[in-house]
Amino acid sequence: MTIAVLRERATGESRVAATPETVRKLSALGAKLVVESGAGKGAGISDDDFQAAGAAIASADVAAGAQIVLGVQGPDPALLAGAAPGAWIVAGLDPFGQRARVDAYAAAGLEALAMEFMPRITRAQSMDILSSQANLAGYKAVLVAANLYGRAFPMMMTAAGTVSAAKAFIMGVGVAGLQAIATARRLGAQVSATDVRSATKEQIQSLGAKPIFVENVAGIEGEGAGGYATEMSPEYQKAQAELVSSHIAKQDIVITTALIPGRAAPRLISDAQIATMRPGSVIYDLAVAQGGNVEGSVADQVVERHGVKIVGYANTPALLPADASALFSRNLFNFLSAFWDKEQGRPVLDEEIGNAIRLTQGGQVVHERLKG
Ligand code: NAD
């Protein structure tokens, strides 16, 4: 069983899908690891580090003969030419955004496994790349916003006078939003937060922040399908817009994280609402790559509107390459090891998780969400 780890090619991608730690652990299962030269550079891991952990380093034909290819993002199909028939491609494959690539994996007879489709069930928590990366993104978004903000976060009483605390508003309280709340609190901001899922109200309070919720129209009660949000009714959207309008004018920092699986991100902040904010305020749009929560946000740019800075990196976890790679790689190891069949010397998936993440098999696109 050969597992290949490719160097990421996407612009701005600094992460890597294996670390010396996971190379060691995968080798202990009986796999032979081949890592592309330079794969760990962005995350501060040298070829020597990988070699010392037991991997072979290759500069060309890295996937040749591999039964499993690991990636952070989906590799270019051209790089997989020599992979074993039916080899697994295990990565964040962006199945809706990169449909042509998925079709190419199918045509090449590869079995593409989209790690972002991992079901949100207890036994798969340790394999969940969305959670491990969103947590880091929520943290980094607050730091980036703090850096762009021309004032301090905590209240400071000094001999030269008092600096007042920043007011931070977190919109969308999933994994990223919870970490954003915690980070903004640690920096000393006064924090409020909102979500459409009523279950998040208690979580917001337990982190010492103030919940701001639409009360007159029902939101999503309980955890919904796998804990995810859905598109809200026009009535709810109108009530939410009014609530945001009355709250946002008093905020200095806004972090938006709202996503709806398989759809464009919901628009939460309009240009007219931005115009009511104090000049110098900062908005970080974590959903910018999925269409954006904020009108006027542009990926990887700081846009100024009405004196308010709007920022959002398309790939925020890549700003923390070492930690992001360590957690991502462990997610992949936890996945492969949980299904490792000692007798066959390879992982064998069960139906629940296999059907959830398998995009292609036997030359076909097989995933329900990609058919029709
Ligand atoms: P996500 O990235 O899909 O969305 C981020 C947040 O935005 C969510 O809280 C969502 O409710 C919110 N949102 C969507 N539309 C909105 C709108 N119009 N206005 C305001 N907020 C809006 O979510 P996520 O971070 O992936 O987490 C989703 C859920 O899954 C959470 O309940 C989380 O605890 C749960 N989860 C479970 C597991 C597990 O059990 N294995 C693992 C990870 C996450």
Side-chain angles (χ1 to χ4, degrees), residues 120-121 125 128 131 172-175 195-197 223 226-229 240 257-260 266 268:
R120 252 90 195 262
I121 50 177
Q125 248 170 343
D128 183 351
S131 291
V173 188
V175 179
D195 202 293
V196 293
R197 294 183 296 113
E223 281 291 345
Y228 285 118
Q240 188 183 39
T257 79
L259 292 178
I260 301 168
L268 300 181

